[in-house]
Amino acid sequence: MYDDFILDKDYFIKVVEDIINLIEEQRDYLTDLDSAIGDGDHGFNLSIGFREVKKNLKDWQDKDLTFIFKKVGMTLLSKVGGASGPLYGSFFIKFGEAAQTKNEVNFKEFYNMFKAGIEAIEFRGKAKVGEKTMLDALKPGLDAFKDAIENDLEPKQAFEKFVEAAKKGAESTIPLVAKKGRAMRLGERAIGHLDPGAASSVMILEAFLKNMT
Ligand code: ADP
Ligand code: MG
Protein backbone atom coordinates (compact mmCIF):
# COMPACT_ATOMS: atom_id res chain seq x y z
CA MET A 1 0.00 0.00 0.00
CA TYR A 2 2.71 2.50 0.97
CA ASP A 3 4.87 1.75 -2.07
CA ASP A 4 2.02 2.76 -4.36
CA PHE A 5 1.12 5.96 -2.57
CA ILE A 6 3.16 8.53 -4.44
CA LEU A 7 3.67 12.13 -3.43
CA ASP A 8 4.86 14.09 -6.43
CA LYS A 9 6.55 17.41 -6.85
CA ASP A 10 3.27 19.24 -7.41
CA TYR A 11 2.21 18.07 -3.97
CA PHE A 12 5.37 19.38 -2.32
CA ILE A 13 5.22 22.71 -4.15
CA LYS A 14 1.61 23.20 -3.05
CA VAL A 15 2.62 22.37 0.51
CA VAL A 16 5.39 24.96 0.46
CA GLU A 17 2.99 27.55 -0.97
CA ASP A 18 0.51 26.75 1.79
CA ILE A 19 3.18 27.01 4.47
CA ILE A 20 4.09 30.44 3.08
CA ASN A 21 0.44 31.53 3.26
CA LEU A 22 -0.20 30.04 6.69
CA ILE A 23 2.85 31.68 8.22
CA GLU A 24 1.73 35.01 6.77
CA GLU A 25 -1.82 34.59 8.08
CA GLN A 26 -0.65 33.43 11.51
CA ARG A 27 2.31 35.77 11.82
CA ASP A 28 0.80 37.98 14.49
CA TYR A 29 -0.59 35.02 16.42
CA LEU A 30 2.86 33.38 16.53
CA THR A 31 4.44 36.65 17.49
CA ASP A 32 1.93 37.09 20.32
CA LEU A 33 2.75 33.62 21.61
CA ASP A 34 6.43 34.53 21.55
CA SER A 35 5.73 37.87 23.26
CA ALA A 36 4.39 35.96 26.24
CA ILE A 37 7.44 33.79 26.81
CA GLY A 38 10.18 35.00 24.45
CA ASP A 39 11.07 38.17 22.61
CA GLY A 40 8.00 38.40 20.39
CA ASP A 41 9.63 37.74 17.04
CA HIS A 42 8.75 34.17 16.12
CA GLY A 43 5.99 35.00 13.61
CA PHE A 44 7.99 37.89 12.27
CA ASN A 45 11.13 35.74 11.89
CA LEU A 46 9.32 33.00 10.00
CA SER A 47 7.48 35.47 7.83
CA ILE A 48 10.75 37.05 6.70
CA GLY A 49 12.12 33.62 5.81
CA PHE A 50 9.08 32.33 3.99
CA ARG A 51 8.58 35.59 2.06
CA GLU A 52 12.07 35.04 0.71
CA VAL A 53 11.16 31.43 -0.16
CA LYS A 54 8.09 32.76 -1.98
CA LYS A 55 10.25 35.09 -4.07
CA ASN A 56 12.47 32.26 -5.27
CA LEU A 57 10.28 29.18 -5.38
CA LYS A 58 9.52 29.55 -9.11
CA ASP A 59 13.25 29.39 -9.89
CA TRP A 60 13.68 26.13 -7.96
CA GLN A 61 10.64 24.14 -8.90
CA ASP A 62 12.05 22.53 -12.05
CA LYS A 63 14.67 20.81 -9.90
CA ASP A 64 14.35 17.68 -7.75
CA LEU A 65 12.97 17.55 -4.19
CA THR A 66 16.41 17.45 -2.59
CA PHE A 67 17.42 20.63 -4.39
CA ILE A 68 14.15 22.43 -3.65
CA PHE A 69 14.17 21.68 0.07
CA LYS A 70 17.86 22.44 0.34
CA LYS A 71 17.08 25.89 -1.02
CA VAL A 72 14.10 26.30 1.31
CA GLY A 73 16.26 25.28 4.26
CA MET A 74 19.20 27.45 3.31
CA THR A 75 16.89 30.41 2.88
CA LEU A 76 15.51 29.90 6.39
CA LEU A 77 19.02 29.42 7.76
CA SER A 78 20.26 32.64 6.25
CA LYS A 79 17.19 34.88 6.60
CA VAL A 80 15.43 33.84 9.79
CA GLY A 81 16.86 35.31 12.94
CA GLY A 82 16.56 33.56 16.24
CA ALA A 83 16.67 29.93 17.24
CA SER A 84 13.96 28.81 14.87
CA GLY A 85 15.81 29.76 11.66
CA PRO A 86 18.66 27.27 11.96
CA LEU A 87 16.30 24.63 13.39
CA TYR A 88 13.70 24.81 10.62
CA GLY A 89 16.52 25.36 8.12
CA SER A 90 18.19 22.10 9.14
CA PHE A 91 14.82 20.39 9.15
CA PHE A 92 14.11 21.24 5.50
CA ILE A 93 17.64 20.48 4.30
CA LYS A 94 17.60 16.99 5.83
CA PHE A 95 13.97 16.47 4.83
CA GLY A 96 15.03 17.05 1.22
CA GLU A 97 18.19 14.96 1.46
CA ALA A 98 16.10 11.96 2.44
CA ALA A 99 14.26 12.29 -0.89
CA GLN A 100 17.54 11.30 -2.58
CA THR A 101 17.27 13.70 -5.53
CA LYS A 102 13.95 12.24 -6.64
CA ASN A 103 11.04 14.18 -8.08
CA GLU A 104 8.48 12.08 -6.24
CA VAL A 105 8.52 9.74 -3.25
CA ASN A 106 6.42 6.91 -1.94
CA PHE A 107 4.82 7.04 1.49
CA LYS A 108 7.61 5.15 3.25
CA GLU A 109 10.14 7.56 1.81
CA PHE A 110 7.90 10.41 2.90
CA TYR A 111 8.05 9.10 6.46
CA ASN A 112 11.85 8.90 6.19
CA MET A 113 11.96 12.55 5.15
CA PHE A 114 10.18 13.61 8.34
CA LYS A 115 12.32 11.32 10.44
CA ALA A 116 15.52 12.81 9.01
CA GLY A 117 14.23 16.37 9.38
CA ILE A 118 13.13 15.97 12.98
CA GLU A 119 16.40 14.24 13.90
CA ALA A 120 18.22 17.25 12.47
CA ILE A 121 16.27 19.55 14.82
CA GLU A 122 17.19 17.30 17.75
CA PHE A 123 20.83 17.20 16.71
CA ARG A 124 21.09 20.93 16.24
CA GLY A 125 19.03 22.11 19.21
CA LYS A 126 19.81 19.32 21.68
CA ALA A 127 16.34 19.62 23.19
CA LYS A 128 14.38 16.73 24.63
CA VAL A 129 10.65 16.24 24.88
CA GLY A 130 9.30 18.13 27.89
CA GLU A 131 11.61 21.13 27.51
CA LYS A 132 8.89 23.32 25.94
CA THR A 133 10.08 23.48 22.34
CA MET A 134 8.88 22.56 18.86
CA LEU A 135 10.10 19.03 19.56
CA ASP A 136 7.25 18.58 22.05
CA ALA A 137 4.96 18.67 19.02
CA LEU A 138 7.18 16.98 16.43
CA LYS A 139 8.51 13.99 18.38
CA PRO A 140 5.23 12.54 19.65
CA GLY A 141 3.81 13.35 16.21
CA LEU A 142 6.51 11.34 14.47
CA ASP A 143 6.07 8.47 16.94
CA ALA A 144 2.34 8.37 16.22
CA PHE A 145 3.05 8.46 12.47
CA LYS A 146 5.43 5.52 12.84
CA ASP A 147 2.89 3.55 14.87
CA ALA A 148 0.20 4.27 12.31
CA ILE A 149 2.44 2.97 9.51
CA GLU A 150 3.34 -0.13 11.51
CA ASN A 151 -0.38 -0.74 11.94
CA ASP A 152 -1.02 -0.35 8.19
CA LEU A 153 -3.34 2.61 8.42
CA GLU A 154 -4.29 4.26 5.13
CA PRO A 155 -1.66 6.88 4.25
CA LYS A 156 -3.81 9.92 4.84
CA GLN A 157 -5.15 8.48 8.07
CA ALA A 158 -1.59 7.77 9.19
CA PHE A 159 -0.65 11.37 8.55
CA GLU A 160 -3.73 12.54 10.44
CA LYS A 161 -2.36 10.65 13.44
CA PHE A 162 0.89 12.58 13.04
CA VAL A 163 -0.91 15.95 13.08
CA GLU A 164 -3.26 14.95 15.91
CA ALA A 165 -0.40 13.84 18.14
CA ALA A 166 1.61 16.95 17.26
CA LYS A 167 -1.33 19.15 18.27
CA LYS A 168 -1.65 17.33 21.56
CA GLY A 169 2.09 17.62 22.01
CA ALA A 170 1.99 21.35 21.33
CA GLU A 171 -0.77 21.77 23.93
CA SER A 172 1.30 19.77 26.38
CA THR A 173 3.83 22.64 26.38
CA ILE A 174 1.34 24.97 28.12
CA PRO A 175 1.99 23.86 31.71
CA LEU A 176 5.74 23.43 31.19
CA VAL A 177 8.73 25.43 32.29
CA ALA A 178 11.12 25.95 29.36
CA LYS A 179 14.51 24.28 29.45
CA LYS A 180 15.75 25.53 26.08
CA GLY A 181 15.73 28.79 24.16
CA ARG A 182 14.85 32.25 25.36
CA ALA A 183 11.77 31.14 27.32
CA MET A 184 14.16 29.41 29.72
CA ARG A 185 14.95 32.76 31.33
CA LEU A 186 11.36 33.12 32.46
CA GLY A 187 11.47 30.09 34.72
CA GLU A 188 8.03 29.46 36.19
CA ARG A 189 6.57 32.48 34.43
CA ALA A 190 6.53 30.42 31.21
CA ILE A 191 3.90 28.19 32.77
CA GLY A 192 0.48 28.67 31.21
CA HIS A 193 1.73 29.61 27.74
CA LEU A 194 1.85 27.62 24.53
CA ASP A 195 5.31 27.34 23.00
CA PRO A 196 5.41 29.36 19.74
CA GLY A 197 7.72 26.92 17.95
CA ALA A 198 5.42 24.02 18.80
CA ALA A 199 2.52 26.06 17.39
CA SER A 200 4.34 26.85 14.12
CA SER A 201 5.36 23.19 13.76
CA VAL A 202 1.72 22.16 13.86
CA MET A 203 0.90 24.74 11.16
CA ILE A 204 3.61 23.33 8.92
CA LEU A 205 2.30 19.79 9.38
CA GLU A 206 -1.24 20.95 8.63
CA ALA A 207 -0.09 22.19 5.23
CA PHE A 208 1.23 18.70 4.45
CA LEU A 209 -2.06 17.14 5.53
CA LYS A 210 -4.31 19.59 3.71
CA ASN A 211 -2.78 18.77 0.34
CA MET A 212 -2.88 15.01 0.77
CA THR A 213 -5.65 13.22 -1.10
P1 ADP B 1 14.31 33.11 19.46
O1 ADP B 1 13.88 32.31 20.64
O2 ADP B 1 15.77 33.07 19.27
O3 ADP B 1 13.73 34.48 19.47
P2 ADP B 1 12.19 32.26 17.69
O4 ADP B 1 11.34 33.17 18.50
O5 ADP B 1 12.08 32.40 16.21
O6 ADP B 1 13.69 32.36 18.15
O7 ADP B 1 11.81 30.73 18.03
C1 ADP B 1 11.50 30.32 19.32
C2 ADP B 1 11.12 28.86 19.28
O8 ADP B 1 12.24 28.07 18.93
C3 ADP B 1 10.68 28.31 20.62
O9 ADP B 1 9.30 28.51 20.80
C4 ADP B 1 11.03 26.84 20.55
O10 ADP B 1 9.97 26.05 20.06
C5 ADP B 1 12.14 26.80 19.53
N1 ADP B 1 13.42 26.45 20.16
C6 ADP B 1 14.26 27.26 20.82
N2 ADP B 1 15.36 26.59 21.21
C7 ADP B 1 15.21 25.32 20.77
C8 ADP B 1 15.99 24.12 20.83
N3 ADP B 1 17.19 24.11 21.41
N4 ADP B 1 15.50 22.99 20.25
C9 ADP B 1 14.30 23.00 19.64
N5 ADP B 1 13.52 24.09 19.55
C10 ADP B 1 13.96 25.23 20.10
MG1 MG C 1 11.70 34.79 19.65
Side-chain angles (χ1 to χ4, degrees):
M1 168 174 56
Y2 297 138
D3 290 350
D4 302 333
F5 192 91
I6 303 297
L7 295 151
D8 61 11
K9 207 203 293 178
D10 276 357
Y11 166 76
F12 286 101
I13 297 291
K14 284 204 195 102
V15 168
V16 174
E17 286 170 348
D18 273 349
I19 295 173
I20 293 167
N21 293 333
L22 264 172
I23 293 296
E24 211 51 44
E25 277 165 34
Q26 302 293 329
R27 187 187 68 170
D28 294 346
Y29 168 67
L30 291 172
T31 287
D32 287 349
L33 290 179
D34 196 33
S35 298
I37 62 166
D39 54 353
D41 63 355
H42 188 55
F44 185 72
N45 285 342
L46 291 182
S47 138
I48 291 175
F50 280 105
R51 277 183 195 175
E52 191 66 22
V53 170
K54 185 176 183 174
K55 260 198 243 163
N56 297 300
L57 189 58
K58 285 270 178 297
D59 297 336
W60 307 333
Q61 58 190 22
D62 292 336
K63 301 283 202 329
D64 62 80
L65 295 175
T66 300
F67 180 95
I68 294 168
F69 283 108
K70 184 175 181 186
K71 289 291 189 186
V72 170
M74 283 171 57
T75 303
L76 299 181
L77 264 172
S78 63
K79 298 281 172 189
V80 180
S84 61
L87 294 168
Y88 279 136
S90 313
F91 169 85
F92 281 111
I93 292 169
K94 294 293 172 186
F95 181 80
E97 273 178 17
Q100 299 176 304
T101 71
K102 292 176 192 165
N103 285 306
E104 55 180 40
V105 292
N106 68 32
F107 202 67
K108 230 17 195 303
E109 292 166 332
F110 183 60
Y111 166 80
N112 288 333
M113 291 167 79
F114 277 98
K115 182 169 184 288
I118 292 167
E119 279 171 4
I121 295 178
E122 286 183 275
F123 182 76
R124 186 133 193 168
K126 308 273 183 270
K128 302 247 178 314
V129 170
E131 296 189 325
K132 204 176 180 102
T133 72
M134 56 179 70
L135 280 175
D136 287 342
L138 293 170
K139 278 287 274 187
L142 186 71
D143 288 345
F145 191 22
K146 183 165 184 261
D147 277 355
I149 288 173
E150 280 166 5
N151 288 304
D152 295 324
L153 261 67
E154 291 290 329
K156 190 172 179 184
Q157 249 185 315
F159 202 80
E160 275 164 6
K161 295 286 180 198
F162 189 169
V163 178
E164 240 170 63
K167 274 187 189 158
K168 260 181 80 181
E171 280 159 22
S172 79
T173 64
I174 295 173
L176 297 177
V177 169
K179 296 278 164 54
K180 287 283 184 302
R182 252 177 236 282
M184 209 167 81
R185 300 178 200 163
L186 262 78
E188 304 227 323
R189 279 178 294 147
I191 292 175
H193 300 283
L194 179 64
D195 176 64
S200 59
S201 292
V202 171
M203 288 171 195
I204 290 172
L205 296 178
E206 277 175 333
F208 281 95
L209 178 61
K210 187 186 146 199
N211 288 286
M212 207 173 274
T213 43

